[in-house]
């Protein structure tokens, strides 16, 4: 009986180690997939930058004010540019 108990303990220990290894592999692969998804999402967030026609400040296209195919960082700069160009 004594040998049987030792053999059982070894088998249980091997199964526990195997379960831990499988869990670590699963966890690593899952983190790798999440990292790839996040990097793909961050690439989609990159936006074109435009230069304010009045002051030269670079701003994202979505935040700019467009008039006469020119981009401005604010309404004040748009008005100042249009006044100076007349």
């Amino acid at each position: 009986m004594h040998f049987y108990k030792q053999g059982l303990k070894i088998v249980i220990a091997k199964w526990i180690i195997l379960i831990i290894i499988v869990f670590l592999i699963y966890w690593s692969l899952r983190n790798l997939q999440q990292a790839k998804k996040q990097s793909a999402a961050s690439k989609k967030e990159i936006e074109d930058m435009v230069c304010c026609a009045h002051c030269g400040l670079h701003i994202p296209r979505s935040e700019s004010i467009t008039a006469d195919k020119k981009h401005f960082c604010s309404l004040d700069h748009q008005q100042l540019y249009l006044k100076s160009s007349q």
Side-chain angles (χ1 to χ4, degrees):
M1 278 308 251
H2 183 66
F3 294 112
Y4 177 75
K5 287 183 182 180
Q6 282 185 335
L8 185 61
K9 287 180 183 179
I10 291 172
V11 170
I12 291 173
K14 286 181 180 180
W15 275 104
I16 290 173
I17 291 170
L18 180 65
I19 289 170
I20 291 171
I21 290 172
V22 168
F23 173 76
L24 290 174
I25 291 171
Y26 169 77
W27 182 72
S28 298
L29 292 175
R30 198 176 108 222
N31 284 343
L32 184 63
Q33 285 179 337
Q34 287 177 351
K36 285 181 181 180
K37 286 179 184 178
Q38 287 176 350
S39 67
S42 67
K43 288 180 183 179
K44 292 178 184 177
E45 293 174 6
I46 296 174
E47 186 177 345
D48 288 338
M49 300 291 283
V50 294
C51 184
C52 176
H54 181 70
C55 69
L57 178 71
H58 286 83
I59 53 175
R61 184 180 299 272
S62 65
E63 295 179 20
S64 69
I65 299 166
T66 307
D68 297 329
K69 296 183 181 180
K70 299 203 183 297
H71 301 281
F72 302 95
C73 62
S74 66
L75 286 172
D76 292 337
H77 281 191
Q78 177 190 10
Q79 293 170 355
L80 288 170
Y81 180 85
L82 294 176
K83 284 181 185 177
S84 67
S85 65
Q86 290 177 351

Coordinates of all heavy atoms in Angstrom, one line a residue:
M1 N 0.8 -1.2 0.0 CA 0.0 0.0 0.0 C 0.9 1.3 0.0 O 0.5 2.2 -0.6 CB -0.9 0.0 1.2 CG -2.2 -0.8 1.2 SD -3.1 -0.4 -0.3 CE -4.5 0.4 0.5
H2 N 2.0 1.2 0.7 CA 2.9 2.3 0.8 C 3.4 2.8 -0.6 O 3.4 4.0 -0.9 CB 4.0 2.0 1.7 CG 4.9 3.2 1.9 ND1 4.5 4.3 2.6 CD2 6.2 3.4 1.6 CE1 5.5 5.2 2.6 NE2 6.6 4.6 2.0
F3 N 3.7 1.8 -1.5 CA 4.2 2.2 -2.8 C 3.1 2.7 -3.7 O 3.3 3.6 -4.5 CB 4.8 0.9 -3.5 CG 6.1 0.5 -2.8 CD1 6.2 -0.7 -2.1 CD2 7.2 1.3 -2.9 CE1 7.3 -1.2 -1.5 CE2 8.4 0.9 -2.3 CZ 8.5 -0.4 -1.6
Y4 N 1.9 2.2 -3.4 CA 0.7 2.7 -4.2 C 0.4 4.1 -3.9 O 0.2 4.9 -4.8 CB -0.5 1.8 -3.9 CG -1.8 2.3 -4.5 CD1 -1.9 2.0 -5.9 CD2 -2.7 2.9 -3.8 CE1 -3.1 2.5 -6.5 CE2 -3.9 3.4 -4.4 CZ -4.1 3.1 -5.8 OH -5.2 3.6 -6.4
K5 N 0.5 4.5 -2.6 CA 0.3 5.9 -2.2 C 1.4 6.9 -2.8 O 1.0 8.0 -3.3 CB 0.3 6.1 -0.7 CG -1.0 5.5 -0.1 CD -1.0 5.7 1.4 CE -2.2 5.1 2.0 NZ -2.2 5.4 3.5
Q6 N 2.6 6.4 -2.8 CA 3.7 7.3 -3.4 C 3.5 7.4 -4.9 O 3.6 8.5 -5.5 CB 5.0 6.7 -3.1 CG 5.5 6.9 -1.7 CD 6.9 6.4 -1.5 OE1 7.4 5.5 -2.2 NE2 7.6 7.0 -0.6
G7 N 3.1 6.3 -5.6 CA 2.8 6.4 -7.0 C 1.7 7.3 -7.3 O 1.7 8.0 -8.3
L8 N 0.6 7.2 -6.5 CA -0.5 8.1 -6.7 C -0.2 9.6 -6.6 O -0.6 10.4 -7.3 CB -1.6 7.7 -5.7 CG -3.0 8.4 -5.9 CD1 -3.6 8.1 -7.3 CD2 -3.9 8.0 -4.8
K9 N 0.7 9.8 -5.6 CA 1.1 11.2 -5.3 C 1.9 11.7 -6.5 O 1.8 12.9 -7.0 CB 2.0 11.3 -4.1 CG 1.2 11.2 -2.8 CD 2.1 11.3 -1.6 CE 1.3 11.1 -0.3 NZ 2.1 11.2 0.9
I10 N 2.7 10.9 -7.1 CA 3.6 11.3 -8.3 C 2.6 11.6 -9.5 O 2.8 12.5 -10.2 CB 4.6 10.2 -8.6 CG1 5.7 10.2 -7.5 CG2 5.3 10.5 -9.9 CD1 6.6 9.0 -7.6
V11 N 1.7 10.7 -9.7 CA 0.7 10.9 -10.8 C 0.0 12.2 -10.6 O -0.2 13.0 -11.6 CB -0.2 9.7 -10.9 CG1 -1.3 9.9 -11.9 CG2 0.6 8.4 -11.3
I12 N -0.5 12.4 -9.4 CA -1.3 13.7 -9.1 C -0.4 14.9 -9.4 O -0.8 15.9 -10.0 CB -1.9 13.6 -7.7 CG1 -3.0 12.6 -7.6 CG2 -2.4 15.0 -7.3 CD1 -3.5 12.4 -6.2
A13 N 0.9 14.8 -8.9 CA 1.8 15.9 -9.1 C 2.1 16.2 -10.6 O 2.1 17.3 -11.0 CB 3.1 15.6 -8.3
K14 N 2.2 15.1 -11.3 CA 2.4 15.3 -12.8 C 1.2 16.0 -13.4 O 1.4 16.8 -14.3 CB 2.7 13.9 -13.4 CG 4.1 13.4 -13.1 CD 4.3 12.1 -13.8 CE 5.7 11.5 -13.6 NZ 5.9 10.2 -14.2
W15 N 0.0 15.6 -13.0 CA -1.2 16.2 -13.6 C -1.3 17.6 -13.2 O -1.7 18.5 -14.1 CB -2.5 15.4 -13.2 CG -2.8 14.2 -14.0 CD1 -2.5 12.9 -13.7 CD2 -3.3 14.3 -15.3 NE1 -2.9 12.1 -14.8 CE2 -3.4 12.9 -15.8 CE3 -3.7 15.3 -16.2 CZ2 -3.9 12.6 -17.0 CZ3 -4.2 14.9 -17.4 CH2 -4.3 13.6 -17.9
I16 N -1.0 18.0 -12.0 CA -1.0 19.4 -11.6 C 0.0 20.2 -12.4 O -0.3 21.3 -12.9 CB -0.8 19.5 -10.1 CG1 -2.0 18.9 -9.3 CG2 -0.5 20.9 -9.7 CD1 -1.7 18.8 -7.8
I17 N 1.2 19.7 -12.6 CA 2.2 20.4 -13.4 C 1.7 20.5 -14.8 O 1.9 21.6 -15.4 CB 3.6 19.6 -13.3 CG1 4.1 19.8 -11.9 CG2 4.5 20.2 -14.3 CD1 5.3 18.9 -11.6
L18 N 1.1 19.5 -15.4 CA 0.6 19.6 -16.7 C -0.5 20.6 -16.9 O -0.5 21.4 -17.8 CB 0.1 18.2 -17.2 CG -0.5 18.1 -18.6 CD1 0.6 18.3 -19.6 CD2 -1.1 16.7 -18.8
I19 N -1.4 20.6 -15.9 CA -2.5 21.6 -15.9 C -1.9 23.0 -15.8 O -2.3 23.9 -16.5 CB -3.5 21.3 -14.8 CG1 -4.3 20.1 -15.1 CG2 -4.4 22.5 -14.6 CD1 -5.1 19.5 -14.0
I20 N -0.9 23.2 -15.0 CA -0.3 24.6 -14.9 C 0.4 25.0 -16.2 O 0.3 26.1 -16.6 CB 0.7 24.6 -13.7 CG1 -0.1 24.5 -12.4 CG2 1.6 25.8 -13.7 CD1 0.8 24.3 -11.1
I21 N 1.1 24.1 -16.8 CA 1.8 24.4 -18.1 C 0.7 24.7 -19.2 O 0.9 25.7 -19.9 CB 2.7 23.2 -18.5 CG1 3.9 23.1 -17.6 CG2 3.1 23.3 -20.0 CD1 4.7 21.8 -17.8
V22 N -0.3 23.9 -19.2 CA -1.4 24.2 -20.2 C -2.0 25.6 -20.0 O -2.2 26.4 -20.9 CB -2.5 23.1 -20.2 CG1 -3.7 23.5 -21.0 CG2 -1.9 21.8 -20.8
F23 N -2.3 25.9 -18.7 CA -2.8 27.2 -18.4 C -1.9 28.3 -18.7 O -2.3 29.4 -19.3 CB -3.1 27.3 -16.9 CG -3.6 28.6 -16.4 CD1 -4.8 29.1 -16.7 CD2 -2.7 29.5 -15.7 CE1 -5.2 30.4 -16.3 CE2 -3.0 30.7 -15.3 CZ -4.3 31.2 -15.6
L24 N -0.6 28.2 -18.5 CA 0.4 29.2 -18.8 C 0.5 29.4 -20.3 O 0.6 30.6 -20.8 CB 1.8 28.9 -18.2 CG 1.9 29.0 -16.7 CD1 3.2 28.5 -16.3 CD2 1.6 30.4 -16.3
I25 N 0.4 28.4 -21.1 CA 0.4 28.5 -22.6 C -0.8 29.2 -23.0 O -0.7 30.1 -23.9 CB 0.6 27.1 -23.2 CG1 2.0 26.5 -22.9 CG2 0.3 27.2 -24.7 CD1 2.2 25.1 -23.4
Y26 N -2.0 28.8 -22.5 CA -3.2 29.5 -22.9 C -3.2 31.0 -22.5 O -3.5 31.8 -23.3 CB -4.4 28.8 -22.2 CG -5.7 29.5 -22.3 CD1 -6.4 29.5 -23.5 CD2 -6.2 30.3 -21.2 CE1 -7.6 30.2 -23.6 CE2 -7.3 31.0 -21.3 CZ -8.1 31.0 -22.5 OH -9.2 31.7 -22.6
W27 N -2.7 31.3 -21.3 CA -2.6 32.7 -20.9 C -1.7 33.5 -21.8 O -2.0 34.6 -22.1 CB -2.2 32.7 -19.4 CG -2.1 34.0 -18.8 CD1 -3.2 34.8 -18.5 CD2 -0.9 34.8 -18.5 NE1 -2.7 36.0 -17.9 CE2 -1.3 36.0 -17.9 CE3 0.4 34.5 -18.6 CZ2 -0.4 36.9 -17.5 CZ3 1.3 35.4 -18.2 CH2 0.9 36.6 -17.6
S28 N -0.6 32.9 -22.1 CA 0.4 33.6 -23.0 C -0.2 33.9 -24.4 O 0.0 35.0 -24.9 CB 1.7 32.8 -23.1 OG 2.3 32.6 -21.9
L29 N -0.8 32.9 -25.0 CA -1.4 33.1 -26.3 C -2.5 34.1 -26.3 O -2.7 34.9 -27.2 CB -1.9 31.7 -26.8 CG -0.8 30.7 -27.2 CD1 -1.5 29.4 -27.6 CD2 0.1 31.2 -28.3
R30 N -3.3 34.1 -25.2 CA -4.4 35.0 -25.1 C -3.9 36.5 -25.0 O -4.4 37.4 -25.7 CB -5.3 34.7 -23.9 CG -6.6 35.4 -24.0 CD -7.5 34.9 -22.8 NE -7.6 36.1 -21.9 CZ -7.5 36.1 -20.6 NH1 -7.4 35.0 -20.0 NH2 -7.6 37.2 -20.0
N31 N -2.8 36.7 -24.2 CA -2.2 38.0 -24.1 C -1.6 38.4 -25.4 O -1.7 39.6 -25.8 CB -1.2 38.0 -23.0 CG -1.8 38.0 -21.6 OD1 -3.0 38.4 -21.5 ND2 -1.0 37.7 -20.6
L32 N -1.0 37.5 -26.1 CA -0.4 37.8 -27.4 C -1.5 38.3 -28.4 O -1.3 39.3 -29.1 CB 0.3 36.6 -28.0 CG 1.1 36.8 -29.3 CD1 2.2 37.8 -29.1 CD2 1.7 35.5 -29.7
Q33 N -2.6 37.6 -28.4 CA -3.7 38.0 -29.3 C -4.3 39.4 -29.0 O -4.6 40.2 -29.8 CB -4.8 36.9 -29.3 CG -4.5 35.7 -30.0 CD -5.7 34.7 -29.9 OE1 -6.5 34.7 -29.0 NE2 -5.7 33.8 -30.9
Q34 N -4.4 39.6 -27.7 CA -4.9 40.9 -27.2 C -3.9 42.0 -27.6 O -4.3 43.1 -28.0 CB -5.1 40.9 -25.7 CG -6.4 40.1 -25.3 CD -6.5 40.1 -23.8 OE1 -5.7 40.5 -23.0 NE2 -7.7 39.6 -23.4
A35 N -2.7 41.8 -27.5 CA -1.7 42.8 -27.9 C -1.7 43.1 -29.4 O -1.6 44.2 -29.8 CB -0.3 42.3 -27.5
K36 N -2.0 42.0 -30.2 CA -2.1 42.2 -31.6 C -3.3 43.0 -32.0 O -3.3 43.9 -32.8 CB -2.1 40.9 -32.4 CG -0.8 40.2 -32.5 CD -0.9 38.9 -33.2 CE 0.4 38.1 -33.3 NZ 0.3 36.9 -34.0
K37 N -4.4 42.8 -31.3 CA -5.7 43.5 -31.5 C -5.5 45.0 -31.1 O -5.9 45.9 -31.8 CB -6.8 42.9 -30.7 CG -7.3 41.6 -31.3 CD -8.5 41.1 -30.4 CE -8.9 39.7 -30.9 NZ -10.0 39.2 -30.1
Q38 N -4.8 45.2 -30.0 CA -4.6 46.6 -29.6 C -3.7 47.4 -30.6 O -3.9 48.5 -30.8 CB -4.0 46.6 -28.2 CG -5.0 46.3 -27.1 CD -4.4 46.2 -25.7 OE1 -3.2 46.3 -25.6 NE2 -5.2 46.1 -24.7
S39 N -2.7 46.7 -31.1 CA -1.8 47.4 -32.0 C -2.5 47.7 -33.3 O -2.3 48.7 -34.0 CB -0.5 46.6 -32.3 OG -0.8 45.4 -32.9
A40 N -3.4 46.8 -33.7 CA -4.1 47.0 -35.0 C -5.1 48.1 -34.7 O -5.3 49.0 -35.6 CB -4.9 45.7 -35.3
A41 N -5.7 48.2 -33.6 CA -6.7 49.3 -33.3 C -5.9 50.6 -33.2 O -6.5 51.6 -33.7 CB -7.4 49.0 -32.0
S42 N -4.7 50.7 -32.7 CA -4.0 51.9 -32.6 C -3.5 52.4 -33.9 O -3.4 53.6 -34.2 CB -2.8 51.8 -31.6 OG -1.8 50.9 -32.2
K43 N -3.3 51.5 -34.9 CA -2.9 51.9 -36.2 C -4.1 52.5 -36.9 O -3.9 53.4 -37.7 CB -2.5 50.7 -37.0 CG -1.1 50.2 -36.6 CD -0.7 49.0 -37.4 CE 0.6 48.4 -37.0 NZ 1.1 47.3 -37.7
K44 N -5.3 52.1 -36.6 CA -6.5 52.7 -37.2 C -6.8 54.1 -36.7 O -7.4 54.9 -37.3 CB -7.7 51.8 -37.0 CG -7.7 50.5 -37.7 CD -8.9 49.7 -37.4 CE -8.8 48.3 -38.0 NZ -9.9 47.4 -37.7
E45 N -6.3 54.4 -35.5 CA -6.5 55.7 -34.9 C -5.6 56.8 -35.4 O -5.9 58.0 -35.2 CB -6.3 55.6 -33.4 CG -7.4 54.7 -32.7 CD -7.1 54.5 -31.2 OE1 -6.1 55.1 -30.7 OE2 -7.8 53.7 -30.6
I46 N -4.6 56.5 -36.2 CA -3.7 57.5 -36.7 C -4.4 58.3 -37.8 O -5.1 57.8 -38.6 CB -2.5 56.8 -37.4 CG1 -1.7 56.1 -36.3 CG2 -1.6 57.8 -38.1 CD1 -0.5 55.3 -36.8
E47 N -4.3 59.6 -37.6 CA -5.0 60.5 -38.5 C -4.1 61.5 -39.2 O -3.0 61.8 -38.6 CB -6.0 61.3 -37.6 CG -7.0 62.2 -38.3 CD -8.0 62.8 -37.4 OE1 -8.1 62.4 -36.3 OE2 -8.6 63.8 -37.9
D48 N -4.5 62.0 -40.3 CA -3.7 63.0 -41.0 C -3.6 64.3 -40.3 O -4.6 64.7 -39.7 CB -4.3 63.3 -42.4 CG -4.1 62.1 -43.4 OD1 -3.3 61.3 -43.2 OD2 -4.9 62.1 -44.3
M49 N -2.4 64.9 -40.3 CA -2.2 66.2 -39.6 C -2.2 67.2 -40.7 O -1.7 67.0 -41.8 CB -0.9 66.2 -38.9 CG -0.8 65.1 -37.8 SD -1.9 65.4 -36.4 CE -1.0 66.7 -35.6
V50 N -2.8 68.4 -40.4 CA -2.8 69.5 -41.3 C -2.2 70.7 -40.6 O -2.2 70.8 -39.4 CB -4.3 69.8 -41.8 CG1 -4.8 68.7 -42.7 CG2 -5.2 70.1 -40.7
C51 N -1.8 71.6 -41.4 CA -1.1 72.8 -40.9 C -2.1 74.0 -41.0 O -2.7 74.3 -42.0 CB 0.1 73.1 -41.7 SG 1.1 74.4 -41.2
C52 N -2.2 74.8 -39.9 CA -3.0 76.0 -39.9 C -2.4 77.0 -40.9 O -1.2 77.3 -40.8 CB -3.1 76.6 -38.5 SG -4.0 78.1 -38.4
A53 N -3.2 77.5 -41.7 CA -2.8 78.4 -42.8 C -2.3 79.8 -42.2 O -1.6 80.5 -42.8 CB -3.9 78.6 -43.8
H54 N -2.8 80.1 -41.0 CA -2.4 81.3 -40.3 C -1.2 81.2 -39.5 O -0.2 82.0 -39.6 CB -3.6 81.9 -39.5 CG -3.4 83.2 -38.9 ND1 -3.3 84.3 -39.6 CD2 -3.1 83.5 -37.6 CE1 -3.0 85.3 -38.7 NE2 -2.9 84.9 -37.5
C55 N -1.1 80.3 -38.5 CA 0.0 80.2 -37.6 C 0.9 79.1 -37.8 O 2.0 79.0 -37.2 CB -0.6 80.2 -36.1 SG -1.4 78.6 -35.7
G56 N 0.6 78.1 -38.6 CA 1.5 77.0 -38.9 C 1.4 75.8 -37.9 O 2.1 74.9 -38.0
L57 N 0.4 75.9 -37.0 CA 0.3 74.8 -36.0 C -0.3 73.6 -36.7 O -1.2 73.7 -37.5 CB -0.7 75.3 -34.9 CG -1.1 74.2 -33.8 CD1 0.1 74.0 -32.9 CD2 -2.3 74.7 -33.0
H58 N 0.3 72.4 -36.4 CA -0.2 71.2 -36.9 C -1.2 70.6 -36.0 O -1.0 70.4 -34.8 CB 1.0 70.2 -37.1 CG 1.9 70.5 -38.2 ND1 2.9 71.4 -38.1 CD2 1.9 70.1 -39.5 CE1 3.5 71.5 -39.3 NE2 2.9 70.7 -40.1
I59 N -2.4 70.2 -36.6 CA -3.5 69.7 -35.8 C -4.1 68.5 -36.6 O -4.0 68.5 -37.8 CB -4.6 70.8 -35.5 CG1 -5.0 71.5 -36.8 CG2 -4.1 71.8 -34.5 CD1 -6.1 72.4 -36.7
P60 N -4.8 67.6 -35.9 CA -5.5 66.6 -36.7 C -6.6 67.1 -37.6 O -7.2 68.1 -37.3 CB -6.2 65.7 -35.6 CG -5.4 66.0 -34.3 CD -5.0 67.5 -34.5
R61 N -6.7 66.5 -38.7 CA -7.7 67.0 -39.8 C -9.1 67.1 -39.2 O -9.8 68.1 -39.5 CB -7.7 66.1 -41.0 CG -8.5 66.6 -42.1 CD -8.5 65.6 -43.3 NE -7.2 65.5 -43.9 CZ -6.7 66.3 -44.8 NH1 -7.4 67.3 -45.3 NH2 -5.5 66.1 -45.3
S62 N -9.5 66.2 -38.3 CA -10.8 66.2 -37.8 C -11.1 67.4 -36.9 O -12.2 67.7 -36.6 CB -11.1 64.9 -37.1 OG -10.3 64.7 -36.0
E63 N -10.0 67.9 -36.3 CA -10.2 69.0 -35.4 C -10.0 70.4 -36.1 O -10.2 71.4 -35.4 CB -9.2 68.9 -34.2 CG -9.4 67.7 -33.3 CD -8.4 67.6 -32.2 OE1 -7.7 68.6 -31.9 OE2 -8.2 66.5 -31.7
S64 N -9.6 70.4 -37.3 CA -9.4 71.6 -38.0 C -10.7 72.2 -38.6 O -11.7 71.6 -38.7 CB -8.4 71.4 -39.2 OG -9.0 70.6 -40.2
I65 N -10.6 73.5 -38.9 CA -11.7 74.2 -39.5 C -11.2 74.5 -40.9 O -10.2 75.0 -41.2 CB -12.0 75.6 -38.7 CG1 -12.4 75.2 -37.3 CG2 -13.0 76.4 -39.5 CD1 -12.4 76.4 -36.4
T66 N -12.1 74.1 -41.9 CA -11.7 74.2 -43.3 C -12.5 75.3 -44.0 O -13.7 75.3 -43.8 CB -11.9 72.8 -44.0 OG1 -11.2 71.8 -43.3 CG2 -11.4 72.9 -45.4
A67 N -11.8 76.1 -44.7 CA -12.4 77.1 -45.6 C -11.5 77.4 -46.8 O -10.3 77.5 -46.6 CB -12.6 78.4 -44.8
D68 N -12.1 77.4 -47.9 CA -11.4 77.6 -49.2 C -10.2 76.7 -49.3 O -9.1 77.0 -49.7 CB -10.9 79.1 -49.3 CG -12.0 80.1 -49.3 OD1 -13.1 79.7 -49.8 OD2 -11.8 81.2 -48.8
K69 N -10.4 75.4 -49.0 CA -9.4 74.3 -49.1 C -8.2 74.6 -48.2 O -7.1 74.1 -48.4 CB -9.0 74.1 -50.5 CG -10.1 73.6 -51.4 CD -9.6 73.3 -52.8 CE -10.8 72.9 -53.7 NZ -10.3 72.6 -55.1
K70 N -8.3 75.4 -47.2 CA -7.2 75.7 -46.2 C -7.7 75.3 -44.9 O -8.9 75.3 -44.6 CB -6.9 77.2 -46.3 CG -6.4 77.6 -47.6 CD -5.5 78.9 -47.5 CE -5.0 79.4 -48.8 NZ -4.2 78.5 -49.6
H71 N -6.8 74.9 -44.0 CA -7.1 74.4 -42.7 C -6.7 75.4 -41.6 O -5.6 76.1 -41.8 CB -6.5 73.1 -42.4 CG -6.9 72.0 -43.4 ND1 -8.1 71.4 -43.3 CD2 -6.3 71.6 -44.5 CE1 -8.2 70.5 -44.3 NE2 -7.1 70.6 -45.1
F72 N -7.5 75.6 -40.6 CA -7.2 76.5 -39.5 C -7.4 75.8 -38.2 O -8.2 74.9 -38.0 CB -8.1 77.7 -39.6 CG -8.0 78.4 -40.9 CD1 -8.9 78.2 -41.9 CD2 -7.0 79.4 -41.1 CE1 -8.8 78.8 -43.2 CE2 -6.9 80.0 -42.3 CZ -7.8 79.7 -43.4
C73 N -6.7 76.3 -37.1 CA -6.7 75.7 -35.8 C -7.9 76.3 -35.0 O -8.3 75.7 -34.0 CB -5.4 75.9 -35.1 SG -4.9 77.5 -34.8
S74 N -8.4 77.5 -35.4 CA -9.5 78.1 -34.7 C -10.3 79.0 -35.6 O -9.8 79.4 -36.7 CB -9.0 78.9 -33.5 OG -8.2 80.0 -33.9
L75 N -11.5 79.4 -35.2 CA -12.3 80.4 -36.0 C -11.6 81.7 -36.0 O -11.6 82.4 -37.1 CB -13.7 80.5 -35.4 CG -14.6 79.4 -35.6 CD1 -15.9 79.6 -34.8 CD2 -14.9 79.2 -37.0
D76 N -10.9 82.1 -35.0 CA -10.2 83.4 -35.0 C -9.1 83.4 -36.0 O -9.0 84.4 -36.8 CB -9.5 83.7 -33.6 CG -10.5 83.9 -32.5 OD1 -11.7 84.3 -32.8 OD2 -10.2 83.7 -31.3
H77 N -8.3 82.3 -36.2 CA -7.3 82.3 -37.2 C -7.9 82.2 -38.6 O -7.3 82.8 -39.5 CB -6.4 81.1 -36.9 CG -5.4 81.4 -35.8 ND1 -4.3 80.6 -35.6 CD2 -5.3 82.4 -34.9 CE1 -3.6 81.1 -34.6 NE2 -4.2 82.2 -34.2
Q78 N -9.0 81.6 -38.7 CA -9.7 81.6 -40.0 C -10.1 83.0 -40.4 O -9.8 83.4 -41.5 CB -10.9 80.7 -40.0 CG -11.7 80.7 -41.3 CD -13.0 80.0 -41.2 OE1 -13.5 79.7 -40.1 NE2 -13.7 79.8 -42.3
Q79 N -10.7 83.7 -39.5 CA -11.1 85.1 -39.8 C -9.9 86.0 -40.0 O -9.9 86.9 -40.9 CB -12.0 85.6 -38.6 CG -13.3 84.9 -38.5 CD -14.1 85.2 -37.3 OE1 -13.6 85.9 -36.4 NE2 -15.3 84.7 -37.2
L80 N -8.9 85.9 -39.2 CA -7.7 86.7 -39.4 C -7.0 86.4 -40.8 O -6.6 87.4 -41.5 CB -6.6 86.5 -38.3 CG -7.0 87.0 -36.9 CD1 -6.0 86.5 -35.9 CD2 -7.0 88.5 -36.9
Y81 N -7.0 85.2 -41.2 CA -6.4 84.8 -42.4 C -7.2 85.4 -43.6 O -6.7 85.9 -44.5 CB -6.3 83.3 -42.6 CG -5.6 82.9 -43.9 CD1 -4.3 82.8 -44.0 CD2 -6.4 82.5 -45.0 CE1 -3.7 82.4 -45.2 CE2 -5.9 82.1 -46.2 CZ -4.5 82.1 -46.3 OH -3.9 81.7 -47.5
L82 N -8.5 85.2 -43.5 CA -9.4 85.7 -44.6 C -9.3 87.3 -44.7 O -9.3 87.8 -45.8 CB -10.8 85.3 -44.3 CG -11.0 83.8 -44.5 CD1 -12.5 83.4 -44.1 CD2 -10.7 83.3 -45.9
K83 N -9.2 88.0 -43.5 CA -9.1 89.4 -43.6 C -7.7 89.9 -44.2 O -7.7 90.8 -44.9 CB -9.2 90.0 -42.1 CG -10.6 90.0 -41.6 CD -10.5 90.6 -40.2 CE -11.9 90.5 -39.6 NZ -11.9 91.1 -38.2
S84 N -6.7 89.1 -43.8 CA -5.3 89.5 -44.3 C -5.2 89.2 -45.8 O -4.4 89.8 -46.5 CB -4.2 88.8 -43.5 OG -4.3 87.4 -43.7
S85 N -6.0 88.3 -46.3 CA -5.8 87.9 -47.7 C -6.7 88.7 -48.7 O -6.6 88.6 -49.9 CB -6.2 86.4 -47.9 OG -7.5 86.2 -47.6
Q86 N -7.5 89.6 -48.1 CA -8.4 90.5 -48.9 C -7.7 91.7 -49.4 O -6.8 92.3 -48.9 CB -9.7 90.8 -48.2 CG -10.5 89.6 -48.0 CD -11.8 90.0 -47.2 OE1 -11.9 91.0 -46.6 NE2 -12.7 89.0 -47.1

